[in-house]
Coordinates of all heavy atoms in Angstrom, one line a residue:
M1 N 9.5 20.8 3.3 CA 9.3 20.5 4.7 C 9.2 18.9 4.8 O 8.6 18.3 4.0 CB 8.0 21.1 5.3 CG 7.6 20.7 6.7 SD 6.1 21.4 7.2 CE 6.4 21.6 8.9
I2 N 10.0 18.4 5.8 CA 10.0 16.9 6.0 C 9.5 16.7 7.4 O 9.9 17.3 8.4 CB 11.4 16.3 5.8 CG1 11.9 16.5 4.4 CG2 11.4 14.9 6.2 CD1 13.3 16.0 4.1
L3 N 8.5 15.7 7.5 CA 7.9 15.4 8.7 C 8.2 13.9 9.0 O 7.7 13.0 8.2 CB 6.4 15.7 8.7 CG 5.6 15.5 10.0 CD1 6.1 16.5 11.0 CD2 4.1 15.8 9.7
D4 N 9.0 13.6 10.0 CA 9.3 12.2 10.3 C 8.3 11.6 11.3 O 8.4 12.0 12.5 CB 10.7 12.1 10.8 CG 11.2 10.7 10.9 OD1 10.4 9.7 10.9 OD2 12.5 10.5 11.0
N5 N 7.5 10.8 10.9 CA 6.4 10.2 11.7 C 6.8 8.8 12.2 O 5.9 8.1 12.8 CB 5.1 10.1 11.0 CG 4.5 11.5 10.7 OD1 4.6 12.3 11.5 ND2 3.9 11.6 9.5
R6 N 8.0 8.4 12.0 CA 8.4 7.0 12.4 C 8.4 6.9 14.0 O 8.7 7.9 14.7 CB 9.8 6.6 11.9 CG 9.7 6.4 10.4 CD 11.1 6.2 9.9 NE 11.9 7.4 9.9 CZ 13.1 7.6 9.4 NH1 13.7 6.6 8.8 NH2 13.7 8.8 9.5
G7 N 7.9 5.8 14.4 CA 7.9 5.5 15.9 C 6.6 6.0 16.6 O 6.4 5.7 17.7
L8 N 5.7 6.6 15.8 CA 4.5 7.1 16.4 C 3.4 6.1 16.1 O 3.3 5.4 15.1 CB 4.1 8.4 15.8 CG 5.1 9.6 16.0 CD1 4.6 10.8 15.2 CD2 5.2 9.9 17.4
E9 N 2.4 6.0 17.1 CA 1.3 5.1 16.9 C 0.1 5.8 16.3 O -0.1 7.0 16.5 CB 0.9 4.5 18.3 CG 1.9 3.5 18.9 CD 2.1 2.3 18.1 OE1 1.1 1.7 17.5 OE2 3.3 1.9 17.9
P10 N -0.7 5.1 15.4 CA -1.8 5.7 14.9 C -2.8 6.2 16.0 O -2.8 5.5 17.0 CB -2.5 4.6 14.1 CG -1.4 3.6 13.8 CD -0.5 3.7 15.0
P11 N -3.4 7.3 15.8 CA -3.5 8.1 14.6 C -2.6 9.3 14.6 O -2.7 10.2 13.8 CB -5.0 8.6 14.7 CG -5.2 8.9 16.2 CD -4.4 7.7 16.8
Q12 N -1.5 9.3 15.4 CA -0.6 10.4 15.5 C 0.0 10.8 14.2 O 0.0 12.0 13.8 CB 0.5 10.2 16.6 CG -0.1 10.2 18.0 CD 1.0 9.9 19.0 OE1 2.0 9.2 18.7 NE2 0.9 10.4 20.2
P13 N 0.5 9.9 13.4 CA 1.1 10.3 12.1 C 0.1 11.0 11.2 O 0.5 12.0 10.6 CB 1.6 9.0 11.5 CG 1.8 8.1 12.6 CD 0.7 8.4 13.6
M14 N -1.1 10.5 11.1 CA -2.1 11.2 10.3 C -2.4 12.5 10.8 O -2.5 13.5 10.0 CB -3.3 10.3 10.2 CG -4.4 10.8 9.3 SD -5.7 9.6 9.1 CE -7.0 10.6 8.4
M15 N -2.6 12.7 12.1 CA -3.0 14.0 12.6 C -1.9 15.0 12.4 O -2.1 16.2 12.1 CB -3.3 13.8 14.1 CG -4.5 12.9 14.4 SD -6.0 13.1 13.4 CE -6.5 14.7 14.0
R16 N -0.6 14.6 12.7 CA 0.5 15.5 12.5 C 0.6 15.9 11.0 O 0.9 17.1 10.7 CB 1.8 14.8 12.9 CG 2.0 14.6 14.3 CD 3.3 13.9 14.7 NE 4.4 15.0 14.5 CZ 5.6 14.7 14.1 NH1 6.0 13.5 13.8 NH2 6.5 15.7 14.1
T17 N 0.4 15.0 10.1 CA 0.4 15.3 8.7 C -0.6 16.2 8.3 O -0.4 17.2 7.6 CB 0.3 14.0 7.9 OG1 1.4 13.1 8.2 CG2 0.4 14.2 6.4
L18 N -1.9 16.0 8.7 CA -3.0 16.9 8.3 C -2.8 18.3 8.9 O -3.1 19.3 8.2 CB -4.3 16.3 8.7 CG -4.7 15.0 8.0 CD1 -6.0 14.5 8.6 CD2 -4.9 15.3 6.5
T19 N -2.2 18.4 10.1 CA -2.0 19.7 10.7 C -0.9 20.4 9.9 O -1.0 21.6 9.7 CB -1.5 19.5 12.2 OG1 -2.6 18.9 12.9 CG2 -1.2 20.9 12.8
A20 N 0.2 19.7 9.5 CA 1.3 20.3 8.8 C 0.8 20.8 7.4 O 1.2 21.9 6.9 CB 2.4 19.4 8.6
L21 N -0.2 20.0 6.8 CA -0.7 20.4 5.5 C -1.5 21.7 5.6 O -1.5 22.6 4.6 CB -1.6 19.3 4.9 CG -0.9 18.2 4.2 CD1 -1.9 17.1 3.9 CD2 -0.2 18.7 3.0
E22 N -2.2 21.9 6.7 CA -2.9 23.2 6.9 C -2.0 24.4 6.8 O -2.5 25.5 6.5 CB -3.7 23.1 8.2 CG -4.9 22.2 8.2 CD -5.6 22.1 9.5 OE1 -5.2 22.9 10.5 OE2 -6.5 21.2 9.7
E23 N -0.8 24.2 7.3 CA 0.1 25.4 7.3 C 0.8 25.7 6.0 O 1.4 26.8 5.8 CB 1.2 25.1 8.4 CG 0.6 24.9 9.8 CD 1.7 24.5 10.8 OE1 2.9 24.5 10.5 OE2 1.3 24.1 11.9
L24 N 0.6 24.8 5.0 CA 1.2 25.0 3.7 C 0.3 25.9 2.8 O -0.9 25.9 3.0 CB 1.5 23.7 3.0 CG 2.5 22.7 3.6 CD1 2.6 21.5 2.8 CD2 3.8 23.4 3.9
T25 N 0.9 26.6 1.9 CA 0.2 27.3 0.8 C -0.1 26.3 -0.3 O 0.5 25.3 -0.4 CB 0.9 28.5 0.3 OG1 2.1 28.1 -0.3 CG2 1.2 29.5 1.5
D26 N -1.1 26.7 -1.2 CA -1.4 25.9 -2.3 C -0.2 25.6 -3.2 O 0.6 26.4 -3.4 CB -2.5 26.5 -3.2 CG -3.8 26.7 -2.4 OD1 -4.0 26.0 -1.4 OD2 -4.7 27.5 -2.9
K27 N -0.1 24.3 -3.6 CA 0.9 23.8 -4.5 C 2.2 23.5 -3.8 O 3.2 23.1 -4.4 CB 1.2 24.7 -5.7 CG -0.1 25.0 -6.5 CD -0.6 23.8 -7.2 CE -1.8 24.1 -8.0 NZ -2.5 23.0 -8.5
E28 N 2.3 23.8 -2.5 CA 3.5 23.5 -1.7 C 3.5 22.0 -1.4 O 2.5 21.4 -1.3 CB 3.6 24.3 -0.4 CG 4.3 25.6 -0.5 CD 4.6 26.2 0.9 OE1 3.6 26.4 1.7 OE2 5.7 26.4 1.2
A29 N 4.7 21.4 -1.2 CA 4.9 20.0 -0.9 C 5.3 19.7 0.5 O 6.1 20.5 1.1 CB 5.8 19.4 -1.9
L30 N 4.8 18.6 1.0 CA 5.2 18.1 2.3 C 5.7 16.7 2.1 O 5.0 15.9 1.4 CB 4.0 18.1 3.3 CG 4.2 17.4 4.6 CD1 5.2 18.2 5.5 CD2 2.8 17.3 5.3
V31 N 6.9 16.4 2.7 CA 7.4 15.0 2.6 C 7.2 14.4 4.0 O 7.6 15.0 5.0 CB 8.9 15.0 2.2 CG1 9.4 13.5 2.3 CG2 9.0 15.5 0.8
I32 N 6.6 13.2 4.1 CA 6.4 12.5 5.4 C 7.1 11.2 5.3 O 7.2 10.6 4.2 CB 5.0 12.4 5.8 CG1 4.2 11.5 4.8 CG2 4.3 13.7 6.0 CD1 2.8 11.1 5.3
I33 N 7.6 10.7 6.4 CA 8.2 9.4 6.5 C 7.4 8.6 7.5 O 7.4 9.1 8.7 CB 9.7 9.5 6.8 CG1 10.4 10.3 5.8 CG2 10.3 8.1 6.8 CD1 11.8 10.7 6.1
N34 N 6.8 7.5 7.1 CA 6.0 6.7 8.0 C 6.6 5.3 8.1 O 7.1 4.8 7.2 CB 4.6 6.6 7.5 CG 3.8 7.9 7.8 OD1 4.3 8.9 8.0 ND2 2.5 7.7 7.8
D35 N 6.3 4.6 9.3 CA 6.7 3.2 9.4 C 5.9 2.3 8.5 O 6.4 1.3 8.1 CB 6.5 2.8 10.9 CG 7.5 3.4 11.8 OD1 8.6 3.6 11.5 OD2 7.0 3.8 12.9
R36 N 4.7 2.7 8.3 CA 3.8 1.8 7.4 C 3.0 2.7 6.4 O 3.0 3.9 6.5 CB 2.8 1.0 8.3 CG 2.3 1.7 9.5 CD 1.5 0.8 10.4 NE 1.5 0.8 11.8 CZ 2.2 1.4 12.7 NH1 3.2 2.1 12.3 NH2 2.1 1.2 14.0
R37 N 2.5 2.0 5.4 CA 1.7 2.7 4.4 C 0.5 3.3 5.0 O -0.3 2.5 5.6 CB 1.3 1.7 3.3 CG 0.7 2.3 2.1 CD 0.4 1.2 1.0 NE 1.5 0.5 0.6 CZ 2.3 0.9 -0.5 NH1 2.0 2.0 -1.1 NH2 3.3 0.2 -0.9
P38 N 0.3 4.6 4.9 CA -0.9 5.2 5.6 C -2.2 5.2 4.8 O -2.6 6.2 4.2 CB -0.3 6.7 5.8 CG 0.5 6.9 4.6 CD 1.2 5.5 4.3
M39 N -2.8 4.0 4.8 CA -4.0 3.8 4.0 C -5.1 4.8 4.4 O -5.8 5.3 3.5 CB -4.5 2.4 4.1 CG -3.5 1.4 3.7 SD -2.7 1.7 2.1 CE -4.1 1.5 1.0
F40 N -5.4 5.1 5.6 CA -6.4 6.0 6.0 C -6.1 7.4 5.6 O -7.0 8.2 5.2 CB -6.7 5.9 7.5 CG -7.3 4.6 7.9 CD1 -6.6 3.8 8.7 CD2 -8.6 4.3 7.5 CE1 -7.2 2.5 9.1 CE2 -9.1 3.0 7.9 CZ -8.4 2.2 8.7
L41 N -4.8 7.8 5.7 CA -4.4 9.1 5.2 C -4.6 9.2 3.7 O -5.1 10.3 3.3 CB -2.9 9.3 5.5 CG -2.3 10.6 5.0 CD1 -3.0 11.8 5.6 CD2 -0.8 10.7 5.3
F42 N -4.3 8.2 2.9 CA -4.5 8.3 1.5 C -6.0 8.6 1.2 O -6.3 9.4 0.3 CB -4.1 7.0 0.8 CG -2.6 6.7 0.8 CD1 -2.2 5.4 0.7 CD2 -1.7 7.7 0.9 CE1 -0.8 5.1 0.7 CE2 -0.3 7.5 0.9 CZ 0.1 6.2 0.8
A43 N -6.9 8.0 1.9 CA -8.3 8.2 1.6 C -8.7 9.7 1.9 O -9.4 10.3 1.2 CB -9.2 7.3 2.5
E44 N -8.1 10.2 3.0 CA -8.3 11.6 3.4 C -7.7 12.6 2.3 O -8.3 13.6 2.0 CB -7.7 11.9 4.8 CG -8.0 13.3 5.3 CD -9.5 13.5 5.7 OE1 -10.2 12.5 6.0 OE2 -9.9 14.6 5.8
L45 N -6.5 12.3 1.9 CA -5.9 13.1 0.9 C -6.7 13.1 -0.4 O -6.8 14.1 -1.1 CB -4.4 12.6 0.6 CG -3.5 12.7 1.8 CD1 -2.1 12.1 1.4 CD2 -3.3 14.2 2.2
D46 N -7.2 11.9 -0.8 CA -8.0 11.8 -2.0 C -9.3 12.7 -1.9 O -9.6 13.5 -2.8 CB -8.5 10.4 -2.3 CG -7.3 9.5 -2.8 OD1 -6.4 10.0 -3.3 OD2 -7.5 8.3 -2.6
E47 N -9.9 12.7 -0.7 CA -11.1 13.5 -0.4 C -10.8 15.0 -0.5 O -11.6 15.8 -1.0 CB -11.7 13.1 0.9 CG -13.0 13.8 1.2 CD -13.6 13.3 2.5 OE1 -13.7 12.0 2.7 OE2 -14.1 14.1 3.3
L48 N -9.6 15.4 0.0 CA -9.2 16.8 0.0 C -8.7 17.2 -1.4 O -8.5 18.4 -1.6 CB -8.2 17.0 1.1 CG -8.7 16.8 2.5 CD1 -7.5 16.8 3.5 CD2 -9.7 17.9 2.9
G49 N -8.4 16.3 -2.3 CA -7.9 16.6 -3.6 C -6.4 16.9 -3.7 O -5.9 17.4 -4.6
H50 N -5.6 16.4 -2.6 CA -4.2 16.6 -2.6 C -3.6 15.4 -3.5 O -4.0 14.3 -3.4 CB -3.6 16.6 -1.2 CG -4.2 17.7 -0.3 ND1 -4.4 18.9 -0.8 CD2 -4.5 17.6 1.0 CE1 -4.8 19.7 0.3 NE2 -5.0 18.9 1.3
L51 N -2.5 15.7 -4.1 CA -1.7 14.7 -4.9 C -0.6 14.2 -4.0 O -0.1 14.9 -3.1 CB -1.1 15.4 -6.1 CG -2.0 16.0 -7.1 CD1 -1.2 16.7 -8.2 CD2 -3.0 15.0 -7.6
Y52 N -0.3 12.9 -4.2 CA 0.8 12.3 -3.4 C 1.5 11.2 -4.2 O 0.9 10.6 -5.1 CB 0.2 11.7 -2.1 CG -0.9 10.8 -2.2 CD1 -0.7 9.4 -2.3 CD2 -2.3 11.2 -2.2 CE1 -1.8 8.5 -2.4 CE2 -3.3 10.4 -2.4 CZ -3.1 9.0 -2.5 OH -4.1 8.1 -2.6
E53 N 2.7 11.0 -3.8 CA 3.5 9.9 -4.4 C 4.2 9.2 -3.3 O 4.7 9.8 -2.3 CB 4.6 10.6 -5.3 CG 5.5 9.6 -6.0 CD 6.5 10.2 -6.8 OE1 6.2 11.2 -7.5 OE2 7.7 9.8 -6.8
T54 N 4.1 7.8 -3.3 CA 4.7 7.0 -2.3 C 5.8 6.2 -2.8 O 5.7 5.5 -3.8 CB 3.5 6.1 -1.8 OG1 2.4 6.8 -1.4 CG2 4.0 5.2 -0.6
V55 N 6.9 6.1 -2.0 CA 8.1 5.3 -2.3 C 8.4 4.5 -1.1 O 8.6 5.1 0.0 CB 9.3 6.2 -2.7 CG1 10.5 5.3 -3.0 CG2 8.9 7.0 -4.0
Q56 N 8.5 3.2 -1.2 CA 8.9 2.4 -0.1 C 10.4 2.4 0.0 O 11.1 2.2 -1.0 CB 8.4 0.9 -0.2 CG 8.7 0.1 1.1 CD 8.0 -1.2 1.1 OE1 7.3 -1.6 0.1 NE2 8.1 -1.9 2.2
Q57 N 10.9 2.7 1.2 CA 12.4 2.8 1.4 C 13.0 1.4 1.7 O 12.3 0.4 2.1 CB 12.6 3.7 2.6 CG 12.0 5.1 2.4 CD 12.6 5.9 1.3 OE1 13.8 6.2 1.3 NE2 11.8 6.1 0.3
E58 N 14.3 1.3 1.6 CA 15.0 0.0 1.9 C 14.7 -0.5 3.3 O 14.7 -1.7 3.5 CB 16.5 0.2 1.6 CG 16.8 0.3 0.2 CD 18.3 0.4 -0.1 OE1 19.1 0.1 0.8 OE2 18.7 0.9 -1.1
D59 N 14.5 0.4 4.2 CA 14.3 -0.1 5.6 C 12.9 -0.4 5.9 O 12.5 -0.8 7.0 CB 14.8 1.0 6.6 CG 13.9 2.3 6.6 OD1 13.0 2.4 5.7 OD2 14.2 3.2 7.4
G60 N 12.0 -0.4 4.9 CA 10.6 -0.8 5.0 C 9.7 0.4 5.3 O 8.5 0.2 5.3
S61 N 10.2 1.6 5.6 CA 9.4 2.7 5.8 C 8.9 3.3 4.5 O 9.3 2.8 3.4 CB 10.2 3.8 6.6 OG 11.3 4.3 5.8
F62 N 8.0 4.2 4.6 CA 7.4 4.8 3.4 C 7.7 6.3 3.4 O 7.4 7.0 4.4 CB 5.9 4.6 3.3 CG 5.6 3.1 3.1 CD1 5.5 2.2 4.1 CD2 5.4 2.7 1.8 CE1 5.2 0.9 3.9 CE2 5.1 1.3 1.6 CZ 5.0 0.4 2.6
R63 N 8.1 6.8 2.2 CA 8.4 8.3 2.0 C 7.3 8.7 1.1 O 7.2 8.3 0.0 CB 9.7 8.5 1.5 CG 10.1 10.0 1.3 CD 11.5 10.1 0.6 NE 11.8 11.5 0.4 CZ 12.6 12.2 1.3 NH1 13.1 11.6 2.3 NH2 12.9 13.4 1.0
I64 N 6.4 9.7 1.6 CA 5.3 10.1 0.8 C 5.5 11.6 0.6 O 5.6 12.4 1.6 CB 4.0 9.8 1.5 CG1 3.8 8.3 1.7 CG2 2.8 10.4 0.7 CD1 4.0 7.9 3.1
T65 N 5.4 12.0 -0.6 CA 5.5 13.5 -1.0 C 4.0 13.9 -1.3 O 3.4 13.3 -2.2 CB 6.4 13.7 -2.2 OG1 7.7 13.2 -1.9 CG2 6.4 15.2 -2.5
I66 N 3.5 14.8 -0.6 CA 2.2 15.3 -0.7 C 2.2 16.7 -1.2 O 2.9 17.6 -0.6 CB 1.4 15.3 0.6 CG1 1.5 13.9 1.3 CG2 0.0 15.8 0.5 CD1 1.1 13.9 2.7
T67 N 1.5 17.0 -2.3 CA 1.4 18.4 -2.9 C 0.0 18.9 -2.6 O -1.0 18.3 -3.0 CB 1.7 18.4 -4.4 OG1 3.0 17.8 -4.6 CG2 1.6 19.8 -4.9
K68 N 0.0 20.0 -1.8 CA -1.3 20.5 -1.4 C -2.1 21.1 -2.7 O -1.5 21.7 -3.5 CB -1.1 21.7 -0.4 CG -2.4 22.2 0.2 CD -2.1 23.1 1.3 CE -3.4 23.6 1.9 NZ -3.2 24.5 3.1
S69 N -3.3 20.7 -2.8 CA -4.1 21.1 -3.9 C -4.3 22.7 -3.9 O -4.3 23.3 -2.9 CB -5.5 20.5 -3.9 OG -6.3 21.0 -3.0
G70 N -4.5 23.2 -5.1 CA -4.7 24.6 -5.2 C -6.1 25.0 -5.4 O -6.5 26.2 -5.7
D71 N -7.0 24.1 -5.1 CA -8.5 24.3 -5.3 C -9.0 25.0 -4.1 O -8.7 24.8 -3.0 CB -9.2 23.0 -5.6 CG -8.7 22.4 -6.9 OD1 -8.2 23.1 -7.7 OD2 -8.9 21.2 -7.0

């Protein structure tokens, strides 16, 4: 599943991402694309135990792959 959050103002990208994660089963992945590095989201993902990988794109956006924890 890919969620394009570009063009949205905070906290919309974070809220959309957390809502989408709730719909996934354990170990499923969600890819999000954000205009900026989502620092507050990273803190939330760490707290929830989800894994994530961030890649900055050539256009300056960030592509983050989040794998829902199985705990």
Side-chain angles (χ1 to χ4, degrees):
M1 174 182 213
I2 297 177
L3 188 61
D4 189 343
N5 291 322
R6 290 176 289 189
L8 300 176
E9 291 298 318
Q12 289 178 334
M14 182 170 165
M15 301 310 295
R16 289 182 76 214
T17 299
L18 294 174
T19 298
L21 279 171
E22 289 176 5
E23 298 174 12
L24 298 181
T25 60
D26 293 345
K27 306 295 182 186
E28 272 192 299
L30 170 67
V31 175
I32 64 169
I33 303 170
N34 283 19
D35 290 321
R36 36 188 141 350
R37 188 180 299 271
M39 301 311 293
F40 293 113
L41 176 62
F42 291 156
E44 185 72 20
L45 295 174
D46 288 338
E47 187 174 311
L48 294 169
H50 301 319
L51 301 175
Y52 54 92
E53 179 181 320
T54 305
V55 176
Q56 187 168 6
Q57 304 296 295
E58 288 182 18
D59 66 357
S61 66
F62 291 87
R63 182 182 181 97
I64 300 108
T65 303
I66 305 165
T67 303
K68 187 171 181 176
S69 74
D71 298 336

